[in-house]
């Protein structure tokens, strides 16, 4: 059997090999071990194999589980995506064993329907062609104990052997010729025809190999995406969902954590949730929920927020004795309200648009709501005052959340969000050290937030001679301007890990680079 040096192949060919295997695995036609949820995970392999992408596995530096993986139908948490190498190889191993047995068992039937060999070599005797995947033959199943035992080299050689087998079946000229073509770039794309071969009306039909676009885990447009947001139609969050995923189906949720759950339970594909406002500050609830849930940050959007004071038609501003709205909106219009409705009580509501809806539904003539112009339109209210945020540049930043992370890139500005807890007894110097890990690498921080450490809110200090004192313990949330695909970011995080008892990467995602405009947009 000839083998091929994968390193000599251009990335496009390696992509093709992987895309074929991806098809095998993710369609369940072959193994049934993987479901389409694992698609994003598989995608990360592409990055590993591309020589231009750093191979250092940042997940291995994270103490929290990053992926939930299934190989045999069960779902198991893994420490890091190094496990992917194991899992993929393990799936491959299963396939090989099944194939080797060549028995017409039910599982084998599935396997044979996507014949691993080339299309021209379809078996005629009801038996699969034998595929010798050398590194896949093991007498014992692979050990997953710490998820790092199978190296990139192992994986590459399994790809190599697979492709060499196909090439030698497919091409009577032998593998060497094929490689010469590939390396000489005589043909930009070589179809290695690994899988699958399917029959349509008795004819063989070659399913198109997946392209990189097919494999992109985060569509750039939002059509057909169901996007959960907190609030009712007319809320700023709905506008943010529309900006993040144009043409999406926005799904209203009455609480922030309902939006998280909607994504986790597959009711929605994404969630778009506010985390900070330029006037009102952080939306703490969502910071806490980010930690409690397992979603990944896949993007951010910032929208200008233009508040209006809304009331039933005919109501005058001086008749308003109560202003209701989301606490953030009340905070963002504090000074304007002092002028406009100085004697009116201010009451918190779930969201701005819900406050407008409430006034309309209950025919309240003494109450006004702070909400968007779109809410006025939707709930037939009049605008008493427009643009009453205390600063014209009032902007809210929203995070886009998904079940799967996106693969960090370096071809555009990225931000990364992390959360960590300091190692016990290390005190505040930890924060200094963590920040310097970024500063020394010229990585700018865009946000720091601290929240109470819920499992360990207090730390007793002192030796008892003067009694005891209690210090508060915090979770620190940091956003920095770098992609996890950059070595400097990976190095910064490995350093950070030395000082922390807990570290999780919440996401590495493209920065919102929308040109700055303070004028009202359709969004808000
Ligand atoms: O109430 C809304 O309309 C929301 O979308 C929520 C929210 C927030 O939570 O900050 C969003 C943007 C504005 O900052 C005000 C309120």
């Amino acid at each position: 059997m000839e083998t091929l040096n994968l390193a000599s192949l251009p990335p496009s060919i390696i992509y093709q090999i992987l895309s074929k295997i991806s098809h095998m695995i993710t369609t369940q036609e072959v193994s049934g071990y993987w479901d389409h949820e694992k698609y994003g995970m598989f995608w990360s392999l592409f990055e590993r194999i591309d020589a231009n992408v750093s191979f250092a596995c940042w997940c291995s530096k994270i103490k929290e589980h990053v992926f939930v993986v299934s190989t045999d139908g069960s779902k198991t948490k893994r420490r890091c995506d190094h496990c992917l190498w194991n899992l993929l190889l393990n799936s491959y191993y299963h396939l090989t064993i099944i194939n080797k047995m060549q028995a017409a068992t039910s599982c084998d039937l599935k396997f044979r329907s996507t014949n691993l060999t080339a299309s021209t070599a379809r078996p005629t005797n009801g038996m699969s062609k034998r595929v010798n995947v050398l590194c896949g033959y093991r007498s014992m199943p692979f050990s997953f104990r710490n998820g790092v035992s199978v190296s990139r080299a192992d994986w590459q050689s399994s790809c190599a052997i697979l492709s060499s087998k196909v090439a030698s079946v497919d091409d009577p000229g032998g593998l060497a010729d094929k490689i010469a073509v590939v390396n000489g770039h005589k043909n930009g794309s070589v179809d290695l025809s690994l899988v699958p071969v399917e029959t349509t009306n008795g004819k063989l039909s070659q399913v198109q190999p997946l392209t990189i676009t097919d494999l992109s885990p985060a569509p750039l447009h939002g059509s057909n995406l169901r996007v959960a947001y907190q609030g009712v139609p007319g809320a700023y969050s709905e506008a943010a969902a529309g900006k993040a995923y144009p043409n999406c189906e926005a799904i209203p949720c009455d609480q922030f954590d309902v939006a998280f759950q909607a994504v986790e339970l597959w009711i929605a594909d994404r969630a778009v949730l506010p985390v900070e406002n330029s006037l009102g500050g952080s939306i703490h609830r969502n910071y806490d929920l980010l930690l409690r849930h397992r979603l990944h940050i896949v993007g951010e959007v910032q929208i200008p927020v233009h508040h209006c004071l809304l009331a039933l038609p005919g109501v005058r501003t001086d008749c308003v004795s109560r202003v209701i709205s989301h606490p953030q909106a009340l905070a963002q219009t504090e000074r304007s309200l002092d002028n406009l409705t100085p004697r009116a009580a201010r009451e918190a509501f779930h969201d701005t648009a819900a406050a407008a809806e409430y006034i309309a539904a209950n025919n309240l003539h003494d109450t006004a709501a702070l909400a968007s112009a779109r809410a006025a339109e939707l709930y037939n209210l009049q605008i008493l005052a427009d643009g009453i945020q205390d600063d014209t540049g009032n902007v809210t930043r929203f995070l886009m959340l998904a079940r799967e992370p996106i693969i960090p890139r370096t071809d555009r500005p990225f931000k990364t969000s992390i959360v960590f807890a300091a190692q016990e007894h290390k005190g505040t110097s930890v924060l200094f050290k963590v920040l310097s890990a970024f500063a020394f690498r010229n990585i700018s921080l865009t946000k720091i937030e601290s929240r109470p450490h819920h499992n360990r809110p207090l730390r007793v200090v002192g030796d008892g001679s003067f009694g005891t004192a209690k210090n508060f313990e915090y979770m620190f949330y940091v956003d920095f301007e770098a992609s996890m695909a950059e070595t400097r970011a990976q190095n910064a995080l490995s350093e950070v890990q030395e000082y922390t008892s807990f570290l999780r990467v919440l996401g590495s995602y493209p920065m919102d680079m929308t040109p700055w405009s303070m004028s009202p947009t359709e969004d808000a």
Side-chain angles (χ1 to χ4, degrees):
M1 153 122 13
E2 288 172 281
T3 56
L4 103 96
N5 175 10
L6 206 74
S8 68
L9 285 177
S12 61
I13 299 303
I14 300 167
Y15 283 143
Q16 200 171 84
I17 296 168
L18 283 174
S19 69
K20 300 268 186 167
I21 298 173
S22 160
H23 183 90
M24 272 169 33
I25 292 167
T26 54
T27 54
Q28 295 192 333
E29 280 173 285
V30 181
S31 69
Y33 299 143
W34 292 53
D35 57 36
H36 61 289
E37 199 176 352
K38 300 284 101 53
Y39 216 62
M41 290 169 44
F42 189 86
W43 171 249
S44 73
L45 293 172
F46 286 68
E47 304 285 328
R48 302 289 184 269
I49 283 207
D50 186 337
N52 297 320
V53 177
S54 162
F55 177 55
C57 171
W58 54 271
C59 293
S60 68
K61 304 190 169 70
I62 311 303
K63 289 175 179 166
E64 280 285 289
H65 296 303
V66 176
F67 292 115
V68 180
V69 174
S70 71
T71 54
D72 58 359
S74 65
K75 298 216 164 188
T76 322
K77 283 187 176 175
R78 297 286 167 206
R79 266 173 86 92
C80 81
D81 72 354
H82 262 145
C83 309
L84 287 173
W85 299 98
N86 285 4
L87 289 164
L88 200 63
L89 216 47
N90 189 48
S91 296
Y92 202 24
Y93 164 78
H94 276 278
L95 300 179
T96 311
I97 295 300
I98 292 166
N99 192 38
K100 201 179 168 213
M101 290 186 323
Q102 300 213 344
T105 60
S106 56
C107 56
D108 191 21
L109 275 176
K110 280 198 157 189
F111 178 55
R112 281 190 290 109
S113 72
T114 52
N115 188 0
L116 253 181
T117 58
S119 55
T120 50
R122 189 164 173 78
T124 50
N125 59 355
M127 309 273 260
S128 302
K129 284 235 170 231
R130 183 184 298 260
V131 178
N132 292 317
V133 183
L134 299 179
C135 71
Y137 284 153
R138 304 243 172 123
S139 52
M140 296 294 287
F142 292 7
S143 153
F144 290 142
R145 212 166 306 140
N146 52 18
V148 291
S149 58
V150 176
S151 67
R152 180 189 197 194
D154 284 346
W155 164 247
Q156 287 186 331
S157 62
S158 82
C159 283
I161 293 160
L162 175 62
S163 57
S164 72
K165 174 66 193 171
V166 170
S168 58
V169 171
D170 204 17
D171 179 2
L175 180 69
D177 285 356
K178 187 145 245 171
I179 298 204
V181 172
V182 172
N183 287 343
H185 301 287
K186 288 179 194 157
N187 177 351
S189 145
V190 175
D191 185 358
L192 293 169
S193 299
L194 300 181
V195 282
V197 177
E198 284 180 350
T199 308
T200 317
N201 301 331
K203 287 187 189 155
L204 292 180
S205 70
Q206 184 74 44
V207 171
Q208 289 301 304
L210 297 171
T211 65
I212 290 171
T213 323
D214 294 329
L215 289 162
S216 174
L220 296 176
H221 56 85
S223 49
N224 302 326
L225 271 189
R226 292 158 303 165
V227 181
Y229 68 95
Q230 187 267 330
V232 298
Y236 297 101
S237 299
E238 186 199 36
K243 181 179 174 190
Y245 300 104
N247 308 318
C248 69
E249 183 193 335
I251 301 179
C253 302
D254 61 353
Q255 305 285 339
F256 288 136
D257 54 355
V258 174
F260 275 87
Q261 282 170 27
V263 180
E264 284 168 338
L265 299 173
W266 289 78
I267 294 162
D269 305 302
R270 304 278 189 277
V272 171
L273 296 169
V275 278
E276 58 179 322
N277 172 269
S278 53
L279 286 173
S282 292
I283 291 132
H284 295 132
R285 176 86 183 128
N286 280 332
Y287 279 94
D288 295 342
L289 289 171
L290 276 172
L291 201 54
R292 197 171 303 163
H293 292 266
R294 293 265 136 225
L295 298 184
H296 302 264
I297 305 174
V298 295
E300 64 169 7
V301 277
Q302 298 179 354
I303 62 163
V305 173
H306 296 266
H307 291 300
C308 305
L309 189 66
L310 310 180
L312 286 172
V315 170
R316 291 198 328 262
T317 310
D318 56 3
C319 299
V320 171
S321 62
R322 187 167 67 138
V323 177
I324 59 176
S325 195
H326 189 281
Q328 273 285 338
L330 290 167
Q332 293 159 23
T333 52
E334 208 171 345
R335 276 184 283 127
S336 301
L337 289 182
D338 285 346
N339 294 330
L340 280 167
T341 55
R343 282 181 302 279
R346 296 166 201 182
E347 278 179 29
F349 224 77
H350 320 297
D351 70 270
T352 55
E357 187 189 31
Y358 180 75
I359 290 174
N362 295 286
N363 203 26
L364 302 174
H365 284 82
D366 62 343
T367 308
L370 288 168
S372 63
R374 179 171 141 76
E377 207 178 292
L378 285 174
Y379 304 111
N380 298 320
L381 297 180
Q382 63 163 330
I383 299 179
L384 294 175
D386 191 358
I388 57 167
Q389 59 282 354
D390 288 340
D391 187 301
T392 43
N394 185 30
V395 172
T396 300
R397 176 173 168 244
F398 293 77
L399 296 179
M400 295 141 74
L401 304 173
R403 287 180 293 274
E404 303 285 351
I406 57 160
I407 301 304
R409 314 190 81 91
T410 51
D411 54 359
R412 55 174 296 183
F414 258 64
K415 226 183 232 183
T416 301
S417 299
I418 61 168
V419 52
F420 61 87
Q423 268 171 17
E424 232 170 317
H425 309 305
K426 293 282 166 69
T428 44
S429 66
V430 165
L431 193 54
F432 174 79
K433 287 178 187 156
V434 167
L435 300 187
S436 62
F438 294 102
F440 284 136
R441 293 174 177 89
N442 268 334
I443 299 176
S444 305
L445 305 188
T446 55
K447 163 95 180 156
I448 304 180
E449 182 66 53
S450 64
R451 297 290 301 144
H453 192 315
H454 285 174
N455 298 332
R456 189 161 43 91
L458 293 172
R459 177 166 46 93
V460 173
V461 288
D463 58 8
S465 20
F466 300 102
T468 55
K470 285 172 274 310
N471 280 354
F472 287 70
E473 290 283 354
Y474 299 100
M475 283 287 180
F476 293 99
Y477 292 77
V478 169
D479 292 348
F480 58 88
E481 276 181 342
S483 159
M484 280 314 302
E486 291 176 62
T487 313
R488 61 182 183 139
Q490 293 162 7
N491 290 342
L493 276 205
S494 27
E495 195 182 324
V496 167
Q497 208 195 1
E498 287 171 27
Y499 318 126
T500 53
S501 61
F502 167 87
L503 172 62
R504 179 172 150 198
V505 175
L506 295 167
S508 195
Y509 49 91
M511 283 165 65
D512 183 356
M513 304 294 283
T514 324
W516 175 243
S517 148
M518 292 196 312
S519 60
T521 66
E522 281 182 4
D523 281 339

